[in-house]
Amino acid sequence: MLGLAALAMASVSCAPKAQEETVMVVETTMGTVEFKLYNETPLHRDNFIKLAEEHYFDSLLFHRVIDNFVIQGGDPNSRYAEPGAMLGDGEPDYRVPAEFRLDKGIFHHKGTVNAAREGDESNPERESCASQFCFMMGKPMTDEQLDRAQARLDAATGGAVKLTAEMREVYKKIGGSPHLDGQYTVFGEVVSGMDVLEAIQKVPTDENDRPVKDVRMLRVYRKK
């Protein structure tokens, strides 16, 4: 008969192991950023890995940069874009179903990665663009700013999305974009290279928020 210690060891050995998180490497003309893909958003995780393995992102621009808000890339039309050309409409011919995971503590704090999408009128299910993604930036927020963000959320979601005390504390400490919560899918989080993103968000941009001097993704691949 197995003793208690042996039973405990057997129980541990049979327990399912947590799935290891995939880390993606984004080599840019301004440095390298690494971010992990959340296992809680498997559709977005697998889609991003697929596109990276196809070298889809290689040589694409960060075509939209707004200080203290967002750094966006993934438009295939940006690969050979002329200076000053309007970008942001290119994407594959499919969308990724929304994967909102507020219940898992996944929200738009600074350093997370979300998927861009079309607006609610043409996209009521809030499905994600398959290739365009954003590094979320921001600065610490006040309670007053968070109250205004909650009012915007109430208007956009009919009161369905509420900022918890824990979420508010994170936004007050590091910042982010709470008005996007429950409306855009967050599927990853930066693990290194925030200094690179801080530099990118400060580059001069034109009236369409495109960097005047191109900031390009040289390679995007899965870290071994």
Side-chain angles (χ1 to χ4, degrees), residues 66-78:
I66 302 176
D67 190 19
N68 285 316
F69 177 42
V70 72
I71 297 170
Q72 182 172 340
D75 180 351
N77 297 333
S78 70

Side-chain angles (χ1 to χ4, degrees), residues 22-28 31-37 48 62 111-113 133 135 188-197 219-224:
T22 299
V23 175
M24 305 302 300
V25 181
V26 183
E27 295 180 1
T28 82
T32 298
V33 179
E34 296 184 1
F35 71 95
K36 65 181 181 180
L37 297 171
F48 196 93
F62 287 116
T112 52
V113 185
F133 66 98
F135 290 109
E189 183 175 343
V190 174
V191 295
S192 70
M194 279 302 299
D195 58 326
V196 175
L197 296 176
R219 287 201 305 155
V220 178
Y221 55 93
R222 187 175 185 169
K223 187 173 184 178
K224 303 300 185 183

Side-chain angles (χ1 to χ4, degrees), residues 6 15 23 29 108 123 125 141 153 162 171-172 177 180 207:
V23 175
T29 50
H108 286 84
N123 180 27
E125 300 300 319
M141 304 179 72
L153 282 174
K162 298 295 184 181
Y171 283 127
K172 288 164 67 174
S177 297
L180 303 181
E207 64 275 11

Side-chain angles (χ1 to χ4, degrees), residues 73-100:
D75 180 351
N77 297 333
S78 70
R79 182 171 281 109
Y80 305 112
E82 293 293 325
M86 182 71 175
L87 297 169
D89 291 332
E91 60 177 304
D93 61 357
Y94 65 94
R95 293 173 174 173
V96 182
E99 294 181 290
F100 305 140

Side-chain angles (χ1 to χ4, degrees), residues 38 107-114 134-136 186 188-190:
Y38 293 139
F107 54 95
H108 286 84
H109 63 75
K110 182 178 180 179
T112 52
V113 185
N114 87 347
C134 309
F135 290 109
M136 305 309 302
V186 178
E189 183 175 343
V190 174

Side-chain angles (χ1 to χ4, degrees), residues 93-211:
D93 61 357
Y94 65 94
R95 293 173 174 173
V96 182
E99 294 181 290
F100 305 140
R101 296 292 184 264
L102 290 174
D103 59 322
K104 302 293 185 182
I106 294 175
F107 54 95
H108 286 84
H109 63 75
K110 182 178 180 179
T112 52
V113 185
N114 87 347
R117 66 171 178 84
E118 296 290 337
D120 289 358
E121 288 188 5
S122 61
N123 180 27
E125 300 300 319
R126 294 172 174 164
E127 295 179 315
S128 300
C129 169
S131 66
Q132 291 196 40
F133 66 98
C134 309
F135 290 109
M136 305 309 302
M137 304 303 288
K139 56 186 177 180
M141 304 179 72
T142 65
D143 280 316
E144 183 179 0
Q145 289 172 321
L146 289 168
D147 289 343
R148 289 200 295 268
Q150 183 62 70
R152 292 180 65 179
L153 282 174
D154 289 343
T157 69
V161 177
K162 298 295 184 181
L163 301 177
T164 66
E166 292 78 9
M167 292 166 69
R168 290 177 69 101
E169 285 305 309
V170 172
Y171 283 127
K172 288 164 67 174
K173 183 176 181 180
I174 65 173
S177 297
H179 64 284
L180 303 181
D181 287 335
Q183 300 175 82
Y184 291 75
T185 295
V186 178
F187 66 93
E189 183 175 343
V190 174
V191 295
S192 70
M194 279 302 299
D195 58 326
V196 175
L197 296 176
E198 295 283 3
I200 292 174
Q201 75 168 342
K202 298 298 183 182
V203 301
T205 56
D206 63 18
E207 64 275 11
N208 296 315
D209 299 316
R210 176 178 168 179

